[in-house]
Amino acid sequence: MNQQIRNSPEMRRIEPRLDPEGLFDMRYRAFLETVSHLRVRLHRYCARMTGSALDGEDIMQEALFEAYRKIGLLDDTQALRPWLFRIAHNRCIDFIRTRRTRLKAEAGYASDEIVLPVEPAGPGAGRAIERLVVHLPPKERACVLLKDVFDHSLEEIAGLVGSTSGGVKSALNRGRAKLAALPAQPVAVPAHDPELERLLGRYVELFNARDWDGVRALTSADARLRVSDCYNGLLSDSPYFVEYDRGEPWRMRPDTIEGEAVLVVDRLHGEVWRPAYFVRIHADGGIINRIADYYACPWILEMVAADG
């Protein structure tokens, strides 16, 4: 391994020895500090690739943990950014390929027919472009995002998506033309699930009453919990509810983002309640089997607010 990276204080502190189950230890936290300048960009990329700010966060967390476990393979500190983007990109592609509903939605735009080049709309158009790229096939989606939003070079993009500069140019031309031809997109209407709605309402009621035994009764014995940067494992093995008994005043309420029912945790600032982060609940047969708590991920809230 490159001596510079081997001997740097950051890399000595983050030598991977962490079990992926349970509490994330200080070495993982140190790694996150090392890549902190990339995290918002990585999340933005994953969120736009998947079409979901929450799915994007989940994938980014998985990509960062994969990179953490493989940090010993990195020979050049200058290669950190493209290396992390490549890991995140590959995980996004895997996610897209396993989502039949997304593949079905993309089918109408998956043609490889020859089209004339369309230049990006110029500075300031990035937000509009990145919200629409979900309608493109994965390769075109990635190329348009990386070039027109993140300003990567053709050579960098080719390395990330496993193509050539010529292939990237072709994908860019196709993607830009398809974006220019897209009709106005309707506002997503949240799917109504009365059973989930009742379950989330009861969860919020018990959570706000600090009735932790009541909350546990809504979950399965093997329910999973993921708290970004903190914990990934069984809910029963976690200090989750203890942590909510500490700290500043908070309240929980149901809401929807991107057409999905979620819970919002508000924190009290003076006399004003302000949204702080989201909690995502998954259930099967009326029983909660998975909780994802996006504590300390302000970029999700910022993205949702910007899109609103």
Side-chain angles (χ1 to χ4, degrees):
M1 179 187 290
N2 181 292
Q3 286 295 320
Q4 178 185 2
I5 195 169
R6 179 187 293 145
N7 295 328
S8 67
E10 292 84 358
M11 293 304 133
R12 287 200 300 273
R13 280 171 33 226
I14 63 174
E15 180 184 355
R17 294 193 299 274
L18 181 62
D19 187 326
E21 294 292 313
L23 290 168
F24 294 156
D25 69 6
M26 293 305 295
R27 289 181 294 274
Y28 184 64
R29 296 291 182 86
F31 171 77
L32 294 179
E33 291 174 8
T34 301
V35 302
S36 61
H37 59 293
L38 290 173
R39 294 187 72 192
V40 174
R41 289 171 63 85
L42 279 172
H43 171 258
R44 188 174 167 191
Y45 178 73
C46 293
R48 297 314 188 189
M49 282 292 289
T50 62
S52 165
L54 298 181
D55 287 335
E57 176 63 27
D58 291 344
I59 290 172
M60 185 189 74
Q61 287 282 327
E62 294 169 3
L64 288 175
F65 197 77
E66 178 182 345
Y68 168 74
R69 288 186 286 108
K70 296 179 178 178
I71 193 68
L73 302 176
L74 186 65
D75 291 327
D76 181 4
T77 54
Q78 299 301 313
L80 182 62
R81 187 186 77 149
W83 186 60
L84 287 173
F85 263 91
R86 188 177 304 113
I87 293 173
H89 171 78
N90 289 339
R91 284 194 170 266
C92 286
I93 295 299
D94 289 342
F95 176 88
I96 293 168
R97 286 174 176 167
T98 57
R99 289 289 297 268
R100 293 184 179 179
T101 54
R102 293 191 184 279
L103 291 175
K104 183 179 180 181
E106 292 163 357
Y109 299 100
S111 170
D112 288 328
E113 62 191 36
I114 302 299
V115 296
L116 295 176
V118 175
E119 293 304 315
R127 282 289 179 184
I129 292 171
E130 64 181 282
R131 285 195 294 268
L132 292 173
V133 293
V134 70
H135 299 286
L136 299 176
K139 182 177 179 180
E140 293 170 17
R141 187 185 311 183
C143 290
V144 171
L145 273 176
L146 291 168
K147 183 60 180 174
D148 294 346
V149 178
F150 293 95
D151 197 30
H152 286 227
S153 70
L154 295 178
E155 291 74 17
E156 287 178 314
I157 299 171
L160 288 172
V161 304
S163 184
T164 63
S165 294
V168 169
K169 284 183 180 179
S170 296
L172 279 171
N173 287 342
R174 293 195 302 272
R176 289 168 178 169
K178 291 172 185 177
L179 289 177
L182 279 177
Q185 298 301 307
V187 176
V189 177
H192 182 60
D193 184 340
E195 183 178 9
L196 179 61
E197 187 177 289
R198 286 192 295 271
L199 181 61
L200 293 183
R202 183 59 176 158
Y203 185 92
V204 167
E205 178 185 351
L206 294 168
F207 222 98
N208 286 340
R210 277 60 168 175
D211 182 354
W212 308 129
D213 288 338
V215 174
R216 289 188 185 94
L218 300 179
T219 67
S220 64
D222 58 351
R224 306 284 302 178
L225 170 68
R226 182 174 193 161
V227 182
S228 297
D229 298 355
C230 299
Y231 182 84
N232 184 22
L234 290 173
L235 174 64
S236 59
D237 291 340
S238 76
Y240 188 54
F241 302 117
V242 174
E243 292 299 322
Y244 269 96
D245 269 332
R246 303 171 180 171
E248 59 192 277
W250 57 266
R251 69 181 184 187
M252 183 177 283
R253 58 184 169 87
D255 203 344
T256 59
I257 64 166
E258 299 171 333
E260 178 180 349
V262 299
L263 305 178
V264 179
V265 175
D266 296 324
R267 292 204 179 278
L268 191 60
H269 296 263
E271 297 182 355
V272 179
W273 289 99
R274 295 177 182 170
Y277 55 93
F278 299 107
V279 176
R280 196 181 204 182
I281 302 293
H282 297 265
D284 184 18
I287 302 294
I288 295 170
N289 57 14
R290 189 152 45 98
I291 301 171
D293 189 308
Y294 299 96
Y295 172 78
C297 299
W299 43 81
I300 301 179
L301 200 63
E302 292 164 6
M303 172 173 281
V304 171
D307 287 351

